[in-house]
Amino acid sequence: MAAEVTSATTMAGASSAAPVTGGPVFLAADEAAALAAVLDEESLIGRTLRAERQRLEAFLAEPVRVPGSGPGGGPEHEQHKLNYQMLFVAGRFWQMLGDRRHAERVRDVLLAYAARFEALPFAVPHTPNPPGRLFHQILNEHMWLLFASAAYGSIRDWLPAADRTAIEGQLFEPMVEMFTRTYAHHFDIIHNHGMWASGAVGIAGLATGRADWVDLAIHGRQGDDVSAGFLAQLSALFSPSGYYEEGPYYQRFAIQPMLLFAEALERARPELGIYRFRDHVVRRGFYGALASALPDGTLLPLNDALKRMNIDSLGYVLGASLMFRREGTDDRLLWLANRHGAVWPDAAGLMLSRAAGKAGSRPVPFSSPSVELSCGPNGEKGAIGVLRMEDGAAGQAVASLDYGTHGLAEHAHFDGLTLGYFAGGREILRDYGSVRWINMEPKRGGSYLPENISFAKQTIAHNTVTVDETTQNGGDAGRAARHFGRRVQFAGSDPDRQMMTGEISGFDPGVTLRRTALLLRHEDFEHPLLIDLLRITADRPHRYDYALYYEGQIVRMAPSFSRAPTLEPLGQGPGYRHLWKLGEGALPEGRALLGWMQSGEYVSLAFAASAPATLMLTRLGANDPDFNLRPEAGMVFRAEAQDMIFASVVERHGAFDEASELSVDARGQVTGLEILHTGEAVTVLRLPGHGHSWHVALVHNENVDGPHEVTFAGRTLRWEGPCLMQRES
Amino acid sequence: MAAEVTSATTMAGASSAAPVTGGPVFLAADEAAALAAVLDEESLIGRTLRAERQRLEAFLAEPVRVPGSGPGGGPEHEQHKLNYQMLFVAGRFWQMLGDRRHAERVRDVLLAYAARFEALPFAVPHTPNPPGRLFHQILNEHMWLLFASAAYGSIRDWLPAADRTAIEGQLFEPMVEMFTRTYAHHFDIIHNHGMWASGAVGIAGLATGRADWVDLAIHGRQGDDVSAGFLAQLSALFSPSGYYEEGPYYQRFAIQPMLLFAEALERARPELGIYRFRDHVVRRGFYGALASALPDGTLLPLNDALKRMNIDSLGYVLGASLMFRREGTDDRLLWLANRHGAVWPDAAGLMLSRAAGKAGSRPVPFSSPSVELSCGPNGEKGAIGVLRMEDGAAGQAVASLDYGTHGLAEHAHFDGLTLGYFAGGREILRDYGSVRWINMEPKRGGSYLPENISFAKQTIAHNTVTVDETTQNGGDAGRAARHFGRRVQFAGSDPDRQMMTGEISGFDPGVTLRRTALLLRHEDFEHPLLIDLLRITADRPHRYDYALYYEGQIVRMAPSFSRAPTLEPLGQGPGYRHLWKLGEGALPEGRALLGWMQSGEYVSLAFAASAPATLMLTRLGANDPDFNLRPEAGMVFRAEAQDMIFASVVERHGAFDEASELSVDARGQVTGLEILHTGEAVTVLRLPGHGHSWHVALVHNENVDGPHEVTFAGRTLRWEGPCLMQRES
């Protein structure tokens, strides 16, 4: 991996010689004065600082509170979290205004922690992660140290020596000891926890003047820049595209310590050129996190994810400011800052705020183009394809296809080739995300719940194909780490015809799945169409379950569907036991049409298979003793065959508004789907309509450019590019 | 009933003599000129007229289209609806601007209808209501005639005699013939359809100069002002409180023809004094419709209701303008007009718009106080109690209790003593409303669906007690019409302690239910508490099912609850067969605690019964072959006893926000509920908490004022007023 190190190749030798004196980590005296000068300004930075001051004053009005430990979301947890957030703000305000009350509160709180810390027992753990003394998992203690030690740095020069000794000796030193020795195995991991651990130890080192901690944080315990440490995290966790190995939800979290420690190092050790490290991996990591956002700002729900998490979270506020200052003034960051209504309150934020003020109401929206997010440190392990197509007033239609890596074991889902579809501000084909009620104390302290493993990680929980009612790679993370998807082609630049094809092979022994997803705009249709084509080849017959999750009220269904008089789980396979089977319909010709209404819009899905199939509808919630699962709706198309084709077209149409008693176009135009022709390179679908129909011809191998020609049933179609959509009379 | 007639006592004799000349119904020449003058004004009236003009121009750009009939929500239905709406606007614009295009379009469309109408077959009916020739139910044809004939009135003077003859003779006359003779039974009904029929025939009479139609519309076919006709509708359908016999959802609809025909009569026959009729019943009907609105403007979901229907619908726009002009300038109507962003485009709307413009941004919000909406023409048949308590930034907490009438058979639910609870902008204790997807053509043309009868009307579908798994009054509307609730007491004026008690007796033979609902504000609690006390007395033992419907994710439950491995319907009784039974928990001491999270807020419900009970959780959707039902969640507390007490306290607390990973106070303060004492007049409940508890003493008979004193377990509590809430150490 050392070969990939660019600007920091010289770092390992040089860094331990750099002077670390202790003191302010993020704010020099002139910068503090500049911030103080804009405190009353009508600007993003002024508003940000005033909001902080208001929270700070409320905190000062309360007594110093240093409790023991408690579960996530409980009062102790929340108090420790509040303490570190407010210490960080108080330290900054002391630097800005020189108001003794702020420095005294930082001192008093830290001394109170110092007086208690070593005597506190380890907390009761709620996760497989080791517990801290303040929090139920060491991760939160890392966060605590990062912010609290930075606050300490802000007041260190002002503190009497005795207080320094107490705080450093009785609080920070035993804490770092715990992080790096007691839990050495949790420091030496390539993981977002490892990123936080590095940032915390490194910033504590910079604040207290402990160069040894800083070096440990940068290079890891082995000093090899591979097994652990900040450089190793940056090298292993991000792909060239900026995709983060644990997925967008954890990327949003990991970029916080990444950005904070990078900025701290840029200030304390500018000779390292940390922002230039590995071809600007910090920048790539930040922009990669933005590239996986949906039009409403929520993040693509890959692997463990909270579905509402979005680009308003702290890492994006931090990143907008720091990237604007350190990596060039990108106008799209002005849009992001305006969306946040805030900036990061330091010199970078001041710079961004001034630029946003000048830009006025004309910032460039951050509308991402279609993008393929390569996976693996060198982009060698497949990718996440993301197609984005403009859809007029309805915003952007986005399709995502995962033909990348499994991800780190702890948070990865067995969801190879899962398809996502987001349009009109709605998630149309849905991913469950993780089974977790974050910080909800009665729900196991907000930790991951058992159903996260028994349902959410399993293949049947995703919009992909489950083979023989089992999970990909046998549900074995080790095996999954050795398999990754293959990019067949990605054609995302045409405004009207976008297409991507990925393949997974051996995720189920002897089975290869190739999936092609298209977004197509055609003058006959109000919105883009999504077309999904799954081609399965296998060395023997299997049962294939093609699952799609949706939301909304069913409006119509063909063929006839018989509802179960009593509900049983869909099966006993992994994940299956959590799905109630609502009933089924036989599809002797392999065709179905299902329409539903999702919050004001109609959606119709026409389905075709190359063999007879069965449609089953499901609702989540079986075998869920503690009601941990949301009762979401899904459909499963089942077929038994060796080689197999599944195809779907998803049409959005019309509108429904109950309050105005308005319903428009509840049926749409596509009345079914037929597979007219399929060959090695090309498949032709027919979409029958009212009085006419459409042909869609698509290339599902690598050679998308063409020219292409296909002859079937005496007809010949010719086109260039990945696909053709053509109306037939 | 004649004795109740006030200003209109002289009407029956006098009215037939009044001249009816035909012509404009709603707009005189000077009024039309005044509207034309404000067309470009930046005001509510200007914006309203410009929005109309824009729709009208789009309509003029299309060819004249007069199709046959089709299902609700289908293209034919929508075209006929668009036609009458646009004709009405075109007629007004012709009067305002004298632009021949407008008059010509009214003429051309009406002539096209005249040419086809008599040859059209009757439509395919989708409801028990008779079909028209244009629409699947005659109701929509009434609406068509009302607006289209008014449009005709606007251009009548301009039309050549031959066109008048064609339109009146081939369209309006056969239509009125159909309404009043072919479907005489549907004209002679006291019902919103009867109101529309009266309005349509009356306005057609005024527009065409047919005094006989006007008289028929006012007095009914019998001329008795009792069996039918506008006066009879006004007399029978509204109570003194302005409550409408069919409930708020149909009130919103019925006030449209009420207001339009009243205004038309006030203009054509001012001597009738229609607005003064029956002590201003038109005004009372309009304000009664507002009084049943929830803080967000949606309507109290009693009987058949679409849950999203709100005070933005047409009748409220009409009413705000007409009442402001005709019944005195109420400043709250300025708030309503600003909410609508529109007024009714006539002289009244112009007046309201001018007043709203002067008031600027300081209109008086329409926040209703607590109100008891008496039922029955003379207020003699119980009431709907509505308690409203201010809740700071969270708005108003509202509890509703139905101890009134059954309502007209077609749309009434067997839901005596049903309880509603709305707070923090959410419906906490929920009513299903009706089973209907309005105008959604694939759902039986948007008509009521079979599950409306088999589920929504049944007692188990509501937040009340079902006795022996059957429906109140045996599900017999005739029997239900003879039973109504009794108001025991209503104390809604205190800002911190509000309470209402209603009783139903004989709805189930030999069983009396008395229910008391309280809203209580106490300094220890963030939000008001809802307390619900149900006292049941019977002449023999029964099975009692106390049902409550909620929405959200279950967070905790006590005691232990066993989930069913396979799901079966809750029972075979009416309504029961649509509810999946998710599992059950035994409550040997008659106590339970259930907590859930509803869109960002926690709700906890503590329950106590006077006997052992069972808690069952349900989800709607069993025996629903066409997926007509929403899969809503409920709980049923079941006990077998003769006399019985059920009590609940509902506490809202804390907050949950997934995107910011915030969870606060997921448990609240109340940890349970105990019935400490119960007597003829007073019940004392204990709400245990963490380290302390609260006593709530409440009076459940008529004598709420006090002073009261109750002694139990050696303690004596003393208080004045309906209830006491007191913290115990």
Coordinates of all heavy atoms in Angstrom, one line a residue, chain B residues 591-616:
Chain B
R591 N -53.6 -4.3 34.3 CA -52.8 -3.1 34.0 C -51.9 -3.3 32.9 O -51.4 -4.4 32.7 CB -52.0 -2.8 35.3 CG -52.8 -2.2 36.4 CD -51.9 -1.8 37.5 NE -52.7 -1.9 38.8 CZ -52.2 -2.1 40.0 NH1 -50.9 -2.2 40.1 NH2 -53.0 -2.2 41.0
A592 N -51.6 -2.3 32.1 CA -50.6 -2.4 31.0 C -50.0 -1.0 30.8 O -50.6 0.0 31.1 CB -51.3 -2.9 29.8
L593 N -48.9 -1.0 30.1 CA -48.2 0.2 29.7 C -47.7 0.0 28.3 O -47.0 -1.1 28.0 CB -47.0 0.5 30.6 CG -46.3 1.8 30.4 CD1 -47.1 3.0 30.7 CD2 -45.0 1.9 31.2
L594 N -48.0 0.9 27.4 CA -47.6 0.7 26.0 C -47.0 2.0 25.5 O -47.6 3.1 25.7 CB -48.8 0.3 25.2 CG -48.6 -0.1 23.7 CD1 -47.9 -1.5 23.7 CD2 -49.9 -0.3 23.0
G595 N -45.8 2.0 24.9 CA -45.2 3.2 24.5 C -44.9 3.1 23.0 O -44.5 2.0 22.5
W596 N -45.1 4.2 22.2 CA -44.8 4.1 20.8 C -44.2 5.5 20.4 O -44.3 6.5 21.1 CB -46.0 3.7 20.0 CG -47.2 4.6 20.0 CD1 -47.4 5.7 19.1 CD2 -48.3 4.6 20.9 NE1 -48.6 6.3 19.4 CE2 -49.2 5.6 20.5 CE3 -48.7 3.8 22.0 CZ2 -50.4 5.9 21.2 CZ3 -49.9 4.0 22.6 CH2 -50.7 5.0 22.2
M597 N -43.7 5.5 19.2 CA -43.1 6.7 18.7 C -43.9 7.1 17.4 O -44.0 6.2 16.5 CB -41.6 6.5 18.3 CG -40.9 7.8 17.9 SD -41.0 8.1 16.1 CE -40.1 6.8 15.5
Q598 N -44.5 8.3 17.4 CA -45.3 8.7 16.3 C -44.6 9.9 15.7 O -44.6 11.0 16.3 CB -46.7 9.0 16.7 CG -47.6 9.4 15.5 CD -49.0 9.7 16.0 OE1 -49.3 9.8 17.2 NE2 -49.9 9.9 15.0
S599 N -44.1 9.8 14.5 CA -43.4 10.8 13.7 C -42.8 11.9 14.6 O -43.2 13.0 14.6 CB -44.4 11.5 12.7 OG -45.6 11.8 13.3
G600 N -41.8 11.4 15.4 CA -40.9 12.4 16.1 C -41.3 12.7 17.5 O -40.6 13.5 18.2
E601 N -42.4 12.1 18.0 CA -42.8 12.3 19.4 C -43.1 11.0 20.0 O -43.6 10.1 19.3 CB -44.0 13.2 19.4 CG -44.5 13.6 20.8 CD -45.7 14.5 20.8 OE1 -46.8 14.0 20.5 OE2 -45.5 15.7 21.0
Y602 N -42.8 10.8 21.3 CA -43.2 9.6 22.0 C -44.6 9.8 22.6 O -45.0 10.8 23.1 CB -42.2 9.3 23.1 CG -40.8 8.9 22.6 CD1 -39.7 9.8 22.6 CD2 -40.6 7.6 22.1 CE1 -38.5 9.4 22.1 CE2 -39.3 7.3 21.6 CZ -38.3 8.2 21.6 OH -37.1 7.8 21.1
V603 N -45.3 8.6 22.6 CA -46.6 8.6 23.3 C -46.6 7.4 24.2 O -46.2 6.3 23.8 CB -47.7 8.5 22.2 CG1 -49.1 8.5 22.9 CG2 -47.7 9.5 21.2
S604 N -47.0 7.5 25.4 CA -47.2 6.4 26.3 C -48.6 6.3 26.8 O -49.2 7.3 27.1 CB -46.2 6.5 27.5 OG -44.9 6.3 27.1
L605 N -49.1 5.1 26.8 CA -50.5 4.9 27.3 C -50.4 3.9 28.4 O -50.0 2.8 28.3 CB -51.4 4.3 26.1 CG -52.8 4.1 26.5 CD1 -53.7 4.6 25.3 CD2 -53.1 2.7 26.8
A606 N -50.9 4.4 29.6 CA -51.0 3.5 30.8 C -52.5 3.1 30.9 O -53.4 4.0 30.8 CB -50.5 4.2 32.0
F607 N -52.7 1.9 31.2 CA -54.1 1.3 31.2 C -54.4 0.6 32.5 O -53.5 0.0 33.1 CB -54.2 0.3 30.0 CG -55.5 -0.5 30.1 CD1 -56.7 -0.1 29.6 CD2 -55.4 -1.8 30.7 CE1 -57.8 -0.9 29.7 CE2 -56.5 -2.6 30.7 CZ -57.7 -2.2 30.3
A608 N -55.6 0.8 33.0 CA -56.0 0.0 34.2 C -57.5 -0.4 34.0 O -58.3 0.4 33.4 CB -55.9 0.9 35.4
A609 N -57.8 -1.6 34.4 CA -59.2 -2.1 34.4 C -59.5 -2.6 35.7 O -58.7 -2.9 36.6 CB -59.3 -3.2 33.4
S610 N -60.8 -2.6 36.0 CA -61.3 -3.1 37.3 C -61.3 -4.6 37.4 O -61.8 -5.1 38.4 CB -62.7 -2.5 37.5 OG -63.6 -2.9 36.5
A611 N -60.9 -5.3 36.4 CA -60.9 -6.8 36.4 C -59.7 -7.2 35.5 O -59.2 -6.5 34.7 CB -62.2 -7.3 35.8
P612 N -59.3 -8.5 35.6 CA -58.3 -9.0 34.7 C -58.7 -8.8 33.3 O -59.9 -8.8 32.9 CB -58.2 -10.5 35.1 CG -58.7 -10.6 36.5 CD -59.8 -9.5 36.6
A613 N -57.7 -8.6 32.5 CA -58.0 -8.3 31.1 C -56.9 -8.9 30.2 O -55.9 -9.5 30.7 CB -58.0 -6.7 30.9
T614 N -57.1 -8.7 28.9 CA -56.1 -9.2 27.9 C -55.9 -8.1 27.0 O -56.8 -7.4 26.5 CB -56.7 -10.4 27.1 OG1 -57.0 -11.4 28.1 CG2 -55.6 -11.0 26.2
L615 N -54.6 -7.9 26.6 CA -54.2 -6.9 25.6 C -53.9 -7.6 24.3 O -53.1 -8.5 24.3 CB -53.0 -6.1 26.1 CG -52.3 -5.2 25.0 CD1 -53.2 -4.2 24.4 CD2 -51.0 -4.6 25.5
M616 N -54.6 -7.2 23.2 CA -54.3 -7.7 21.9 C -53.9 -6.6 21.0 O -54.6 -5.5 21.0 CB -55.6 -8.4 21.4 CG -55.9 -9.6 22.2 SD -57.5 -10.3 21.8 CE -58.6 -9.0 22.4

